[in-house]
Amino acid sequence: MNWRFWKKRREPMPAPGQPDWERALINRLAAEYLDDQRKRRRWATAFKLLILVYLIGVLIAANSTGLSDAVKVGEDHTALIEIKGVIASDSDASADRVITALRAAFEAKHVKGIVLRINSPGGSPVQAGYINDEIKRLKAKYKKDHDGKDMPVYAVAVDLCASGGYYVAVGADAIYVDKASLVGSIGVRIDSFGFQEAMQELGIERRLLTAGANKGILDPFSPLGDSQRAFIQSVLDRLHGQFIDAVKQGRGDKLKGGDELFSGLFWSGQEAVELGLADGLGSSSQVARELIKAEKIVEYTEKRDLLESIAKRFGALVGAGMLEGLGVSTGLSLPH
């Protein structure tokens, strides 16, 4: 007899001394043990499901507090929009997200002013340019707020307001920084490598087939010719010129430095004020209280929805071990 028979029939155990009573006892003990293990697993599974449902609820609640709640505020306030991290099309600081928040803030009835709190090393010049252009467009469209006053837009730098981050900041009416903020890095860069000599040393032959004489330009395993280098430099110079024009248009006569301002260097917040790259020292709360005169701050930053956040984190895990491809960037890279 096996334990399933005893469990199913529920017949009494043979008394000691009867045939196979030891085996029957072992089978019964095994059956009871397995029954107990099944019950434990059921409770453990149910407990894990409850925890999962709770965590999903917390995530939904955390992600649901965004623009929908902000636009319902029924008292005068300052709208806060975070521009945090790399400015790129798929990041939290993408032009789509920032512009959506900007439009909501300009349209909200009780917003007295907007603070762009920037903590970014830069990123895509296209994305930064989109945001800069939209700030100017919205300021022209909503020339007066609901009380007949101009809607002020202030940029407030936190740790970094560099490169593409500064490109966004110069679209604001004024820029405020902390004395230790890093500000500037007005320049454009392309990153690549050259491995052709190492390949020759290793006896490796590169076979790159292209239709178009320059289709393989910046291929890291092929030499970079003088004409190609000159062409790439001309592209960078044009992009740099666009960046410089945006800074001069935004800052105007406030700039007190020379060409070194546009060399890619960056400065502390205190130095940035002295050079005219920023208007003064101050935090978001100070700007809201002393300049906008609306101390209550409401965040208008567009939040990722739950599914998008999960997908982003999953994608980050998958891509953590992959090499980044070639890209044009206005970013400032600093050691941690």
Side-chain angles (χ1 to χ4, degrees):
M1 266 179 215
N2 56 35
W3 67 268
R4 291 188 181 88
F5 177 83
W6 284 108
K7 182 175 182 296
K8 182 177 180 181
R9 295 287 302 277
R10 300 293 184 183
E11 295 179 358
M13 287 283 295
Q18 292 183 355
D20 294 331
W21 74 271
E22 298 96 337
R23 180 177 297 177
L25 176 61
I26 292 172
N27 287 338
R28 173 57 65 86
L29 292 174
E32 291 178 355
Y33 173 78
L34 291 173
D35 261 354
D36 183 62
Q37 290 296 104
R38 283 195 186 90
K39 290 176 182 177
R40 289 176 182 272
R41 283 197 295 269
R42 290 192 194 104
W43 280 109
T45 301
F47 183 69
K48 290 175 182 177
L49 286 173
L50 286 173
I51 291 177
L52 179 61
V53 170
Y54 172 76
L55 291 176
I56 290 175
V58 171
L59 286 172
I60 291 174
N63 282 273
S64 64
T65 58
L67 294 180
S68 60
D69 292 332
V71 296
K72 296 177 183 177
V73 176
E75 58 181 301
D76 291 350
H77 60 274
T78 295
L80 175 68
I81 299 173
E82 294 271 9
I83 301 177
K84 186 176 181 180
V86 176
I87 301 172
S89 60
D90 59 348
S91 73
D92 289 333
S94 70
D96 284 345
R97 295 184 184 282
V98 175
I99 289 172
T100 298
L102 278 168
R103 290 173 181 170
F106 269 97
E107 293 170 1
K109 183 177 180 180
H110 293 283
V111 171
K112 300 288 101 181
I114 299 171
V115 170
L116 302 174
R117 186 159 63 191
I118 302 173
N119 192 4
S120 173
S124 163
V126 175
Q127 295 288 308
Y130 282 159
I131 300 171
N132 181 289
D133 291 342
E134 188 66 6
I135 293 171
K136 291 182 287 188
R137 189 191 74 82
L138 289 171
K139 284 184 63 63
K141 180 179 178 180
Y142 299 91
K143 185 65 177 174
K144 300 289 183 179
D145 68 10
H146 301 282
D147 291 335
K149 300 178 181 178
D150 287 340
M151 177 75 79
V153 179
Y154 296 100
V156 175
V158 189
D159 299 297
L160 278 173
C161 184
S163 208
Y166 190 71
Y167 198 151
V168 171
V170 296
D173 295 304
I175 302 172
Y176 288 86
V177 298
D178 183 83
K179 60 182 179 297
S181 301
L182 294 181
V183 182
S185 187
I186 302 171
V188 185
R189 54 184 272 186
I190 287 182
D191 299 331
S192 185
F193 296 93
F195 294 107
Q196 65 272 15
E197 292 184 8
M199 292 174 64
Q200 291 173 2
E201 291 286 337
L202 296 172
I204 300 173
E205 178 186 359
R206 170 64 166 164
R207 295 173 181 172
L208 174 64
L209 305 179
T210 66
N214 293 296
K215 187 61 178 177
I217 193 171
L218 280 182
D219 173 67
F221 303 103
S222 301
L224 181 64
D226 291 339
S227 62
Q228 292 178 328
R229 185 184 297 273
F231 173 79
I232 294 170
Q233 187 61 54
S234 69
V235 172
L236 291 176
D237 290 341
R238 283 194 291 273
L239 294 176
H240 191 204
Q242 295 169 7
F243 194 170
I244 293 172
D245 289 343
V247 173
K248 288 182 175 180
Q249 184 178 356
R251 300 301 297 168
D253 295 336
K254 296 177 181 179
L255 296 174
K256 299 171 185 172
D259 290 340
E260 75 277 4
L261 295 180
F262 312 113
S263 67
L265 292 175
F266 52 91
W267 294 268
S268 70
Q270 183 66 60
E271 292 171 318
V273 173
E274 295 170 1
L275 292 169
L277 293 171
D279 295 279
L281 303 180
S283 64
S284 300
S285 58
Q286 286 177 300
V287 170
R289 181 176 60 253
E290 299 173 11
L291 298 178
I292 298 176
K293 307 298 183 182
E295 190 168 359
K296 181 179 178 61
I297 296 176
V298 178
E299 187 168 351
Y300 277 67
T301 311
E302 188 186 14
K303 304 292 187 180
R304 289 181 181 270
D305 58 41
L306 176 62
L307 292 177
E308 191 177 3
S309 297
I310 294 173
K312 181 191 175 188
R313 292 181 184 181
F314 177 75
L317 289 173
V318 172
M322 300 179 66
L323 294 176
E324 292 184 2
L326 172 67
V328 179
S329 172
T330 60
L332 170 65
S333 299
L334 295 175
H336 295 289

